[in-house]
Amino acid sequence: MFGSNNKIQPFDAADNFFGKPEASATVARNPQSSGYAGVLALKVPPPPQYAPPAICNISKDGKLVVSGGKDVETYVWDTTHGDLVSILRGHEVCWTSSHDCSFFVTVQEDSKVVIWDQKEMKQLQTLGHPEEPLVCCSISLDDVYVIVGSAKGSIYSWDSNTGREYRHYEDGHKGPVLTSMCYPMEDGSHVIISCGAADHTIVAWDLETAEQRVSIHVEELDQAKNVRYCISSDGTQVLAWCTDSVPFPNLVFIDALNNVKNSVYCHEGLIRNAVFGKDSAKIISCGNDGKVIIWDTLSLEPLMSMVGHDGPVLSCCINADGTHIVSSGEDCTVRMWSAEDGRQLQCMQAQDEPVKSVAFDRQTNTKILTVDMAGRLYVWSTLSEVVLNLVRRFSDVISSVCMSADEKLLVSGTNTGSVMMWDVEQRELLWEHMHHAGRVESLAFNSLQELSSAGADGRVTHLSVETGKQINCFVGDDEPFTCVQFSPDDERIAALSANGKIYMFLTNSASRKSKTILRSNIARVTGFVWSPNSKVIAGCCSDGCVIIWNAATGSISTVLEGDSPATCCTFDFVGKLVAVGTVMGTTAIYNLETREMLCELSNNTSAVRSIMFSLDTLRLTTICNRQAIVWDVSSNMKIRTYDFVVDKEENGHLFKVKKPHLYRTTVAHSGTVLFDPESETLVFDMVAAEDPTLRSYFLSETRLISCSSNFRGVVVWSATGNSAPDKFHTTHDAITSCHFGFDDRLCAMATQDGNIMIYDVVHNETIEVFAAHNNGPCRCVRLSHDNKEVLSSGADAKVILWDWQTKTPTRIYSGHFVSVGCCDLASEGSRVVSGDIHGMISIWEKDTGHVVQTLPLAHAKAVLSVSISSDGLTIASVGADNKVAIWDVDMGMELVSLTAAIESNPLCCAFSPDGTKLAVTESNGNVMIWSAMVGCQWFMITGAHKGKVTGVSWSADCRRIVTCGDDSVLAVWDSESSAPLHKFPVKSGPLTCVSISPMGLYLAGGSNTGTLSMVNMATSTREIPEPSFLYNWLASKEPQVARLQYMSLAAQYPTLANVQDAQGWSIINHAMSKGNASVASIVLNSVRENSGIFGLISAVPYLVHTSVVFHRNEPSPEEANFDIREKSVARVMSFFTGKSVTGKGKLQHEGSDASMSGNMRSFSQQVAKKVAVELFTEKRTADHVELILNNALALALNSKSSECVQVLLDAAADNKVSWGSYHAITDMIPSLAARYPYMCYGFLAGLQLQKVGDLEVPVEVISNLDSSVIRTAPFFTNVKTLWQSHLKLHEGKEGSAEAYAHVDANMVRLPFACAIGKESLLQTLVESEVPVKAYSTPTVSAVIAHKWSLYGRRTLTVRALLYLLYTVAFTAYAVIYSSDDRSRSFSESFTTSGNAKGEDILGVYLFLQAAYLAYMELRQLHALGIALYFESIWNALDLSTAILMMTSIVMQFARVSCLKGQVLSPIISFQLILIYFKLLFYALGFEKTGTLVHMVFTIAWAVKDWAILLFLVIVSFTTSLMVLYQYTPPVHGENYSNFGYALLSVWQAGIGNNYSIQNALEYSPWVQVTLIIFSLFLFITQIVLLNMLIALMRDIYSKVQEDERNIFLKGRAELIVEVETLMSKSQIMEYSLMPPYLHMLMPVQRAVHNSSAVIPRLDRLEAMAREAGETLSNINRMYGFERSHPRPGAPGAGSSGMAGGMDLSGPSRAISMAGVAGGPSGLPNLVPPLGMMLAQGPNGEMTFVPAAYHPMMDPAHMQNMALQAQQLKESESQLPAILRQIDRLQRTVNNQEMRMEGMVAVLRDIENLLRNQQPVIMTQDRPQPRKGAALSEAELEKEVKRLLGKSGDAGKL
């Protein structure tokens, strides 16, 4: 929001420089009293909610609209500008205007009839004041008489000129007069036609005589309650209809003069409205059946029926010409129809309530008034019809459109250079002239009836609006002009060139050249706007800055800094605020006086194309290709979002929304749509395109047709046109290379015949073609950053820098002697690199041609590709020798080789613009991305193309990677997650190269057929729903319906789940941010398992930020121009240690006029100061917060929705996410473990190791290393090379026979899982509350094993040995201390006793050791923090023992408290126990002792409750016995004199130690009581509690045994974390550079097939089948069909249903397929055949019928059902295989059991033989099958072990 110091100043506070426009330039209107006057419609401010308007009318000429009346004031509005003309405060009930529009008449609630002057808005005269209420009013067609009807049936007439009451007509009606009209006759008389509301009577009166000419009773409608009338224009015919639902004829035609009637029944008994057509020859009616019908007036035969409304049609009318019909309905739309053929022309939508009334103005037919149920009025302009007709007729040639300020003229330019002027009101072409040699890019009106046009031919023409003749023609630098604007004072013309310069021309000048040129050398200007007072020009640049120029002098006033490349800008009405749109979909609002950003609006889904302030500056509309958002500027809140969606279904059926959302409106259409931001109205073109494949430049993107004012315009969005890629067929050989320039317009191509072509992709034309290499093909081409030069290399061994405009070489780089196959140019540096076929790489200085470095032996074979970083310090190369390397240019040495990370033959490489990543393509279709900053493989795009990947390119913001291949496909990938975003089949043959424009607007791919395929991203992706709309659309539907519709969309667009908006958010990001797990489940369930294509994270844009510093100094007299300084910031770039960039830039102005120098006016004062502007560029690193915002898992955690988190984790566990997404998961593991520890465990348990290959290794390699070999590596491809080099398998002895083992090469999916630090995986788990089972999961156990083998084992062993020595020393110290004489002083003891010397020496050692331990503990305390440190009891133990040790040693040396009865001896004794207890900590880390120690601790902790119970029992009985023995002295060690001795005595009694019951009874005064109490005590302690302890120990031991491995791994993890926290900085630096990927070799374990492995799969199949069945049932119910028979599986359905037909309870899983194959008679299969649908037969039986014949099934739902049935069919096809597998498993188990039983019988016979020494007859009989009394499996196993000698009894044999 605006701060207190950033408020918008009132108009009067504006100064002369940044202020409001002068009165002569623009007349300001009071914005608070204005309606929202847009181009398409006027939105009348809504009436008070408590009083809907009683009057809603429009004047005959359409210039005034009236609303209000009765209970509120009556407001009169100007329909042209939306100004409030007048407020009538007379409680009016009727209002009507004269036919000549000179006056109007009002009827007030107190029955006053008043005539008003329509122009002056003043009261002329009061006609009368009848005593009865008046209800209707009209004016005669000749404007002579005013006719008023009363509520009692009387008619009054007045002379409008004199105001005299003319006649009073009584007794005509019984009840109110509903309608009355007065018509002049041919004989000069007048006739009044009046219609009664209650008596259903029509009366014709003679006005002069007051006699009734005719009285007709409409008896056909006597039974109707509500009757309405319509009188024809000549007054001779009347229509009467009832608005009730009736069974009798409800539309009656009456010829009033001839007394003729005719009637008809229509609209299903309910008519809403009916009107006469032109000349009363036709009748138009509408009703509840949703139809608009045209009838023949005399016969009442239907001539035409028009259907289009979704629901009842509430109102209709026809224009005076009889050509167009307008209707409105409950679907909140207004539709226009052709009265000639009934075609629907357009659909208008603004209200979100049913539109109850619609009316044309009766003279111009250019205004349409609509009123909804809430009383809101809109006045629509028929200008939309002209625009739609123009766009529809000239869609293939039109290039630009502009409107005049009064909206009466429309000018359009074409691709051929002609300019056409149209009259909007007359709908005719005024003139057409050819003014340009190419496309007309922009048009602009001024207020002097003049026009300006800018063309692609580099000219700006000044034209006369009246004749179209040229007044002047201005020229630039032969670059196309893209935009032209008149200054508001009409004195200057500003035009923007394609090279980023603004040319200013004087309107009245005879010179053709520009007066001033405005530019920025840092970036190109992408858009500009004039300030309202014509004194300032604001230009937005591609680097995000906004430059403010003084229009008079051309000097720079200020620069507003921005981050994202800017696309457009606009001023507010006052000129103090400027809004800037960016490619990121954000809009920044700046205060020009303070130069600060007031707010940033960020929600557009793509680059902002246009911005419009409202006239009152309270609203701002931001427009992109897919959206228009209306903002409240004061609160920065969205008012409404308009989503433009391509919907090919008829009438927008697929994405149709019944009523607009509270904040979002879905604009789903298959044609052209007009949107008015000011009035927030929409107009849909309902005429189908004649050729839907016709390509239109104008309709390919969202356009803004603006008026001469910056505050009014209409947005044109179209879904028509061909989205297929453009193909430019050259006349040359294959295209070998292509490259885009920085302006997204020029593309350079190299061809096989040695030519270079410069192609303009915007205008689809070739600019230049020249021969660059004569002796062979041109191999590579690169455009320079300023688009002025092109670098090429060819087979003639030359590397040439060309000035392509003059076709001359600027510089030739010599050094190669053979064909040069590749070259590259540093975008921000000044270096050139090239590689030849002999493997040599050369680097030159671009400007001087000096050789920087030569690498003659870079490759053994030809250099296939070379890429240089943007700063020119590092290069990457790919050779035909399959070597990929990164080189340091200055040192000339190889930094790293990537050959081991390549699986096949590398083909090409490309650095990202920020230099942090390198893309390498391979011949097997893969694309490998290497992180140059981290020094590891970041991810691999597997199967990116079918065949070779021949080209790769990066977008300028580093967010996209584009690849091409032999499969003729252009693919776009996210550079952070490797998720596929788009794939475009171009079908132009195998592609050889690819390039993406800097802004990401175009893709270019060259093929070996000589075809350049061009993809316009905005056009080609317009049919794909954008993420934010798709999420809101799915969230508004029922889950089952949303699932079906999303499946249909996903089938059309395979990458729909990954499609991103401008901020990089996909539909999952939107669902996660809102905590909607339902939509997320729908999306992720559509992704196949193990597909690895879904992206959890998106790339953050790489931006170059421009900083601006102002220096104001006193100007020197001799300086004529501003001194512009340059400042460059140099940094060192290293792929392993830092970053670098070198950039420089300057802002400057050009011009020949001396007035450019001099003084500059400041914001609020004028000072003679010189302003020097220093700019420097710096790279902005990826902000961690922005990375988190683009992380779907982070958004899910932030939404605090556990369901959302679980959905994402399940997708990751099922391997649905892409390789790069695991980086995002690793980042979020700490937050996940802290918030959802059990969910984190579940994810880690389901995250299996990734198998990356297999190989054979010697058995001895894995025999002694826990059956696995673990290591980290910087890549995860080509694992055989990885392990062969690591294990040195190639160094085996020749001829030696060595045993080998077949092992699997696995990898932990989470990268950087072995990292160390607070955010590392292991420390996070240790500090969280994850279950202990998490430590035995594959990922965590592998991390523990690696860290243990790397540094854990060594460190813990050393520390354990040192601590053991420490313990032994302290033990010896304690022994000596116990025998030493403490009474002697330290000196005496040291000189006289040998033991004392040893004690002192040990004391010094122990003190130093304790001090070191205390230092280490304090380090750990500082690293972890107090709370986290003391969570572990071991830390508290370590710190306390160290402090006690140092304290005791000091006390011993000082002889303090060391005598008998003092504290030193207890301290040493207690400390001795603690030190020995600490040894258990080190025992935890070793496998042989760790399990035992953990078991002891666990059991001790588990019996704490039992110990507390025992303690309470002992205390209670101790107190009781103290009372009984209060008079007995201590006897035989039994003492009850105090509580302590008594407690000891009872404890001894409990454990049976030295306790005599006889003594207790002999000396007790109360023998019987004592006996009872002792008996009870012994029973409780020795029988109850002891047996309880035995049972408890047995249960605890069994549980501990189950978690033995988990507990041990957790202990080892805690030890490892402690080791990491105590590492030195050098150790942390050493291990922090650990490669990110953890690999391991594991022996191949053959899966044991059992039923338990199959049961989960059966459960999933059963769930899928049940879900599919329920879905089909829901579809049938959705279309009105309810089954009459029981649902399969329900009670009464038998066993024929899907659920009832499966018996899944037993291990054999016997399944009956009755529910799948079919059911009982009369019940069809659950799953119908494809194309069939369940329906009810004529006799009530259930059967399947073709879906095409179902009365309520459309193709969309038919396709959804087919997809669902296909999925169910695939699930069913797996069931027989599973059944067969179960049968085989059952047979295997039975055979094994039979063999085991036979083996037991044989072993028993052998045992008997050995025991009895008697012969045993061995029979060959078959073993009998198992019976019920046979051994169980456990008994069988135990018996086998006993017989084989594995039990205690075996030793007795």
Coordinates of all heavy atoms in Angstrom, one line a residue, residues 240-285:
A240 N -50.0 -8.0 -27.5 CA -50.3 -8.3 -26.1 C -49.8 -9.7 -25.8 O -50.0 -10.6 -26.5 CB -51.8 -8.1 -25.8
W241 N -49.2 -9.9 -24.6 CA -48.7 -11.2 -24.2 C -48.7 -11.2 -22.7 O -48.7 -10.2 -22.0 CB -47.3 -11.5 -24.7 CG -46.2 -10.6 -24.1 CD1 -45.5 -10.9 -23.1 CD2 -45.8 -9.3 -24.6 NE1 -44.6 -9.9 -22.8 CE2 -44.8 -8.9 -23.7 CE3 -46.2 -8.5 -25.6 CZ2 -44.1 -7.7 -23.9 CZ3 -45.6 -7.3 -25.7 CH2 -44.5 -6.9 -24.9
C242 N -48.8 -12.4 -22.2 CA -48.8 -12.6 -20.7 C -47.4 -13.1 -20.3 O -46.8 -13.9 -21.0 CB -49.9 -13.5 -20.3 SG -49.8 -15.2 -20.9
T243 N -47.0 -12.7 -19.2 CA -45.7 -13.1 -18.7 C -45.8 -14.2 -17.6 O -44.9 -14.5 -16.9 CB -45.0 -11.9 -18.0 OG1 -45.8 -11.4 -17.0 CG2 -44.7 -10.8 -19.1
D244 N -47.0 -14.9 -17.6 CA -47.2 -16.0 -16.8 C -47.1 -17.3 -17.6 O -47.2 -17.3 -18.8 CB -48.5 -16.0 -16.1 CG -48.8 -14.7 -15.4 OD1 -47.8 -14.2 -14.7 OD2 -49.9 -14.1 -15.5
S245 N -46.8 -18.4 -16.9 CA -46.7 -19.7 -17.6 C -48.2 -20.2 -17.7 O -48.8 -20.6 -16.7 CB -45.9 -20.7 -16.8 OG -45.8 -21.9 -17.4
V246 N -48.7 -20.2 -18.9 CA -50.1 -20.6 -19.1 C -50.2 -21.7 -20.2 O -49.3 -21.8 -21.0 CB -50.9 -19.3 -19.6 CG1 -50.9 -18.3 -18.5 CG2 -50.3 -18.7 -20.8
P247 N -51.3 -22.4 -20.2 CA -51.5 -23.5 -21.2 C -52.2 -23.0 -22.5 O -52.4 -23.8 -23.4 CB -52.3 -24.5 -20.5 CG -53.1 -23.7 -19.5 CD -52.3 -22.5 -19.1
F248 N -52.7 -21.8 -22.5 CA -53.5 -21.3 -23.6 C -52.6 -20.3 -24.4 O -51.5 -19.9 -24.0 CB -54.8 -20.6 -23.1 CG -54.5 -19.6 -22.0 CD1 -54.1 -18.3 -22.3 CD2 -54.8 -20.0 -20.7 CE1 -53.9 -17.4 -21.3 CE2 -54.5 -19.0 -19.7 CZ -54.1 -17.8 -19.9
P249 N -53.1 -19.9 -25.6 CA -52.3 -18.9 -26.5 C -52.0 -17.7 -25.7 O -52.8 -17.1 -25.0 CB -53.3 -18.6 -27.6 CG -54.2 -19.8 -27.7 CD -54.3 -20.3 -26.3
N250 N -50.7 -17.4 -25.7 CA -50.2 -16.3 -24.9 C -49.6 -15.1 -25.6 O -49.1 -14.2 -25.0 CB -49.1 -16.9 -23.9 CG -48.0 -17.7 -24.7 OD1 -48.1 -17.8 -25.9 ND2 -47.1 -18.2 -24.0
L251 N -49.7 -15.1 -26.9 CA -49.2 -14.0 -27.7 C -50.4 -13.6 -28.7 O -50.8 -14.5 -29.5 CB -48.0 -14.3 -28.5 CG -47.4 -13.2 -29.5 CD1 -47.0 -12.0 -28.6 CD2 -46.2 -13.8 -30.3
V252 N -50.8 -12.4 -28.6 CA -52.0 -11.9 -29.3 C -51.6 -10.7 -30.1 O -51.0 -9.8 -29.6 CB -53.2 -11.6 -28.4 CG1 -54.4 -11.2 -29.2 CG2 -53.5 -12.8 -27.5
F253 N -51.9 -10.7 -31.4 CA -51.7 -9.6 -32.3 C -53.1 -8.9 -32.5 O -54.1 -9.6 -32.9 CB -51.1 -10.0 -33.6 CG -51.2 -9.0 -34.7 CD1 -50.4 -7.9 -34.7 CD2 -52.1 -9.1 -35.7 CE1 -50.5 -6.9 -35.7 CE2 -52.2 -8.2 -36.7 CZ -51.4 -7.1 -36.7
I254 N -53.1 -7.6 -32.4 CA -54.4 -6.8 -32.5 C -54.1 -5.7 -33.5 O -53.2 -4.9 -33.4 CB -54.9 -6.3 -31.2 CG1 -55.0 -7.4 -30.2 CG2 -56.1 -5.5 -31.4 CD1 -53.9 -7.4 -29.2
D255 N -55.0 -5.6 -34.6 CA -55.0 -4.5 -35.5 C -56.1 -3.5 -34.9 O -57.3 -3.8 -35.0 CB -55.4 -4.9 -36.9 CG -55.3 -3.8 -37.9 OD1 -55.3 -2.6 -37.4 OD2 -55.1 -4.0 -39.1
A256 N -55.6 -2.5 -34.2 CA -56.5 -1.7 -33.4 C -57.6 -0.9 -34.2 O -58.7 -0.8 -33.8 CB -55.7 -0.7 -32.6
L257 N -57.2 -0.5 -35.4 CA -58.1 0.3 -36.2 C -59.1 -0.6 -37.0 O -60.2 -0.3 -37.2 CB -57.3 1.2 -37.2 CG -56.4 2.2 -36.6 CD1 -55.8 3.1 -37.6 CD2 -57.2 3.1 -35.6
N258 N -58.6 -1.8 -37.4 CA -59.5 -2.7 -38.1 C -60.1 -3.8 -37.2 O -60.8 -4.6 -37.8 CB -58.7 -3.4 -39.2 CG -58.1 -2.4 -40.2 OD1 -58.8 -1.4 -40.5 ND2 -56.9 -2.6 -40.7
N259 N -59.8 -3.8 -35.9 CA -60.4 -4.7 -35.0 C -60.1 -6.2 -35.4 O -61.1 -7.0 -35.5 CB -61.9 -4.4 -34.8 CG -62.4 -5.1 -33.5 OD1 -61.6 -5.5 -32.7 ND2 -63.7 -5.1 -33.4
V260 N -58.9 -6.5 -35.8 CA -58.5 -7.8 -36.2 C -57.5 -8.4 -35.2 O -56.6 -7.7 -34.7 CB -57.9 -7.8 -37.6 CG1 -57.4 -9.2 -38.0 CG2 -58.9 -7.3 -38.6
K261 N -57.7 -9.7 -34.8 CA -56.9 -10.3 -33.8 C -56.4 -11.7 -34.3 O -57.1 -12.3 -35.1 CB -57.6 -10.5 -32.4 CG -58.0 -9.2 -31.7 CD -58.5 -9.4 -30.3 CE -59.8 -10.1 -30.4 NZ -60.4 -10.3 -29.0
N262 N -55.3 -12.0 -33.8 CA -54.7 -13.4 -34.0 C -53.9 -13.8 -32.8 O -53.3 -12.9 -32.2 CB -53.9 -13.4 -35.3 CG -53.7 -14.8 -35.8 OD1 -54.1 -15.7 -35.3 ND2 -53.0 -14.9 -37.0
S263 N -53.8 -15.0 -32.5 CA -53.1 -15.5 -31.3 C -52.3 -16.8 -31.6 O -52.6 -17.5 -32.6 CB -54.0 -15.7 -30.1 OG -55.0 -16.7 -30.4
V264 N -51.3 -17.0 -30.8 CA -50.5 -18.2 -30.9 C -49.9 -18.6 -29.5 O -49.7 -17.7 -28.7 CB -49.4 -18.0 -31.9 CG1 -48.4 -17.0 -31.4 CG2 -48.7 -19.3 -32.3
Y265 N -49.7 -19.9 -29.4 CA -49.0 -20.4 -28.1 C -47.6 -20.6 -28.5 O -47.2 -21.3 -29.4 CB -49.7 -21.7 -27.7 CG -49.0 -22.4 -26.5 CD1 -49.4 -21.9 -25.2 CD2 -48.1 -23.4 -26.6 CE1 -48.8 -22.5 -24.1 CE2 -47.5 -23.9 -25.5 CZ -47.8 -23.5 -24.3 OH -47.3 -24.1 -23.2
C266 N -46.7 -20.0 -27.6 CA -45.2 -20.1 -28.0 C -44.4 -20.1 -26.7 O -44.9 -19.8 -25.6 CB -44.8 -19.0 -28.9 SG -45.2 -17.3 -28.2
H267 N -43.1 -20.4 -26.9 CA -42.1 -20.3 -25.8 C -42.5 -21.1 -24.6 O -42.3 -20.7 -23.4 CB -41.9 -18.8 -25.4 CG -41.3 -18.0 -26.4 ND1 -40.0 -18.1 -26.9 CD2 -41.9 -17.0 -27.2 CE1 -39.8 -17.2 -27.8 NE2 -40.9 -16.5 -28.1
E268 N -43.1 -22.3 -24.8 CA -43.5 -23.2 -23.8 C -44.3 -22.6 -22.7 O -44.3 -22.9 -21.5 CB -42.2 -23.8 -23.1 CG -41.4 -24.6 -24.1 CD -40.1 -25.2 -23.4 OE1 -39.9 -24.9 -22.2 OE2 -39.4 -25.9 -24.1
G269 N -45.2 -21.6 -23.2 CA -46.2 -21.0 -22.3 C -45.7 -19.8 -21.5 O -46.5 -19.2 -20.8
L270 N -44.5 -19.4 -21.7 CA -44.0 -18.2 -20.9 C -43.2 -17.3 -21.8 O -42.1 -17.6 -22.2 CB -43.1 -18.7 -19.7 CG -42.6 -17.6 -18.8 CD1 -43.8 -16.7 -18.2 CD2 -41.9 -18.2 -17.6
I271 N -43.8 -16.1 -22.1 CA -43.2 -15.1 -22.9 C -42.6 -14.0 -22.0 O -43.3 -13.6 -21.1 CB -44.1 -14.5 -23.9 CG1 -44.7 -15.5 -24.9 CG2 -43.5 -13.4 -24.8 CD1 -45.8 -15.0 -25.8
R272 N -41.4 -13.7 -22.3 CA -40.7 -12.6 -21.5 C -40.9 -11.2 -22.1 O -41.0 -10.2 -21.4 CB -39.3 -12.9 -21.3 CG -39.0 -14.2 -20.4 CD -39.3 -13.9 -19.0 NE -38.9 -15.0 -18.1 CZ -38.9 -15.0 -16.8 NH1 -39.4 -13.9 -16.2 NH2 -38.5 -16.0 -16.1
N273 N -40.8 -11.2 -23.4 CA -40.9 -9.9 -24.1 C -41.2 -10.1 -25.6 O -41.0 -11.2 -26.1 CB -39.6 -9.1 -24.0 CG -39.7 -7.6 -24.3 OD1 -40.8 -7.1 -24.4 ND2 -38.6 -7.0 -24.6
A274 N -41.8 -9.1 -26.2 CA -42.1 -9.1 -27.6 C -42.2 -7.7 -28.1 O -42.6 -6.8 -27.5 CB -43.5 -9.8 -27.9
V275 N -41.6 -7.5 -29.4 CA -41.6 -6.2 -30.0 C -41.9 -6.3 -31.5 O -41.8 -7.4 -32.0 CB -40.2 -5.5 -29.8 CG1 -39.9 -5.2 -28.4 CG2 -39.1 -6.4 -30.4
F276 N -42.3 -5.2 -32.0 CA -42.5 -5.1 -33.5 C -41.2 -4.9 -34.2 O -40.3 -4.1 -33.7 CB -43.5 -4.0 -33.9 CG -44.9 -4.5 -33.7 CD1 -45.7 -4.0 -32.6 CD2 -45.5 -5.3 -34.5 CE1 -47.0 -4.3 -32.4 CE2 -46.9 -5.7 -34.4 CZ -47.6 -5.2 -33.3
G277 N -41.1 -5.4 -35.4 CA -39.9 -5.1 -36.2 C -40.1 -3.9 -37.0 O -41.1 -3.1 -36.8
K278 N -39.2 -3.6 -38.0 CA -39.4 -2.4 -38.8 C -40.6 -2.5 -39.7 O -40.9 -3.6 -40.2 CB -38.1 -2.3 -39.7 CG -38.1 -1.1 -40.6 CD -36.9 -1.0 -41.5 CE -36.9 0.2 -42.3 NZ -35.7 0.3 -43.2
D279 N -41.4 -1.4 -39.7 CA -42.6 -1.4 -40.5 C -43.7 -2.4 -39.9 O -44.7 -2.6 -40.7 CB -42.4 -1.6 -41.9 CG -41.5 -0.5 -42.5 OD1 -41.5 0.6 -42.0 OD2 -40.7 -0.9 -43.5
S280 N -43.5 -2.9 -38.8 CA -44.4 -3.8 -38.1 C -44.7 -5.1 -38.9 O -45.7 -5.7 -38.7 CB -45.7 -3.1 -37.8 OG -45.5 -1.9 -37.1
A281 N -43.8 -5.4 -39.9 CA -44.0 -6.6 -40.7 C -43.7 -7.9 -40.0 O -44.1 -8.9 -40.3 CB -43.3 -6.5 -42.0
K282 N -42.8 -7.7 -38.9 CA -42.4 -8.9 -38.2 C -42.5 -8.6 -36.7 O -42.6 -7.5 -36.3 CB -41.0 -9.2 -38.5 CG -40.7 -9.6 -40.0 CD -39.3 -9.9 -40.3 CE -39.0 -10.3 -41.7 NZ -37.6 -10.5 -42.0
I283 N -42.6 -9.7 -36.0 CA -42.7 -9.7 -34.5 C -41.5 -10.5 -34.0 O -41.2 -11.6 -34.5 CB -44.0 -10.2 -34.0 CG1 -45.2 -9.4 -34.5 CG2 -44.0 -10.3 -32.5 CD1 -46.5 -10.0 -34.2
I284 N -40.8 -9.9 -33.0 CA -39.7 -10.6 -32.3 C -40.1 -10.9 -30.9 O -40.5 -10.0 -30.2 CB -38.4 -9.8 -32.4 CG1 -38.0 -9.6 -33.8 CG2 -37.3 -10.5 -31.6 CD1 -38.5 -8.3 -34.4
S285 N -40.0 -12.1 -30.5 CA -40.4 -12.5 -29.1 C -39.3 -13.4 -28.5 O -38.5 -14.0 -29.2 CB -41.7 -13.3 -29.1 OG -41.6 -14.5 -29.8

